Amino acid sequence: MRVHIPVQRRWGDQDALGHINNVSLLKLLEEARLRAFWRTGDDGDSPVAVFTDDMVSSGSAIATLVARQEIEYLLPVPYGRDPLDVQVWIGRLGGSSVEICYEVWSPDGTVLYARATTVVVLVDMDSGRPMRLPADIRAVWSSYVEDPIAYRRR
C-alpha cells in the first residue's frame, strides 16, 4: 500500500529554466515525509504517522536521522497551482532503519516526474547510536512495505 501526500509547489521553488529546482524537489520530498510519518493530532493524519512533534522539538530520547538520499529525475517538474501527488511507501524495514520510497506524480496522476529513496535511522539521543525500531512502529509500517525502487540509471 502507498500513502498519497498532496504537496503544494511554491513559486520560489522554480529555477531560471521555469521548472522546480532539483534542491527544491528534495524539500518537497521532506515535506511529504514529515506529513506521512509525523502525527498532528488531526483526523487527517497519515496511516503511517507514528512520530509526534515533541519527539522532534523537545529533546526526546529518540530522533530520526537521514542516512542516505537518492533521486532519479525522470522529467522536469513544472510549476503549477495544484499539488503534486507524492506517493510514499516503505521499501525496506531494517533493524534500526527504514527505506522510504517516493514517486512524484502530476496532480492528475498521469505524469511521473521523479522517484526517490530516503534511508532514515532511528537514533538513541543519549548514546548517539542507532536503536532498534520498536515493535509497535514495525507493526504499523509493515502493511506499507512494497518493493523498493529499481532505479533505471546506475
Side-chain angles (χ1 to χ4, degrees):
M1 283 196 303
R2 296 182 180 192
V3 177
H4 293 257
I5 305 292
V7 178
Q8 196 68 46
R9 293 165 278 186
R10 298 168 299 246
W11 180 257
D13 292 335
Q14 294 182 86
D15 62 17
L17 299 174
H19 62 264
I20 303 303
N21 181 275
N22 63 315
V23 173
S24 292
L25 189 57
L26 275 169
K27 292 177 183 178
L28 295 176
L29 293 174
E30 177 184 53
E31 174 80 15
R33 183 173 65 251
L34 292 174
R35 290 181 46 208
F37 292 96
W38 272 262
R39 285 191 298 243
T40 63
D42 297 338
D43 291 336
D45 278 347
S46 157
V48 294
V50 295
F51 302 121
T52 60
D53 284 343
D54 57 322
M55 181 184 154
V56 176
S57 60
S58 67
S60 173
I62 59 174
T64 58
L65 298 178
V66 171
R68 182 174 190 275
Q69 295 189 98
E70 184 171 356
I71 300 176
E72 181 177 53
Y73 299 96
L74 303 171
L75 291 169
V77 181
Y79 176 76
R81 289 184 166 189
D82 294 327
L84 297 167
D85 176 23
V86 181
Q87 297 180 18
V88 179
W89 72 97
I90 295 170
R92 187 181 70 78
L93 279 173
S96 62
S97 66
V98 58
E99 179 180 352
I100 301 168
C101 299
Y102 318 79
E103 286 185 345
V104 180
W105 289 86
S106 61
D108 63 4
T110 60
V111 180
L112 177 59
Y113 295 118
R115 295 181 182 103
T117 304
T118 303
V119 175
V120 175
V121 177
L122 200 62
V123 174
D124 178 297
M125 291 304 292
D126 291 332
S127 70
R129 310 247 330 128
M131 61 181 283
R132 297 207 51 83
L133 292 171
D136 58 334
I137 291 176
R138 190 175 292 280
V140 169
W141 288 351
S142 62
S143 298
Y144 293 87
V145 175
E146 290 185 19
D147 289 336
I149 292 174
Y151 290 99
R152 296 186 311 172
R153 301 175 187 105
R154 284 212 165 169

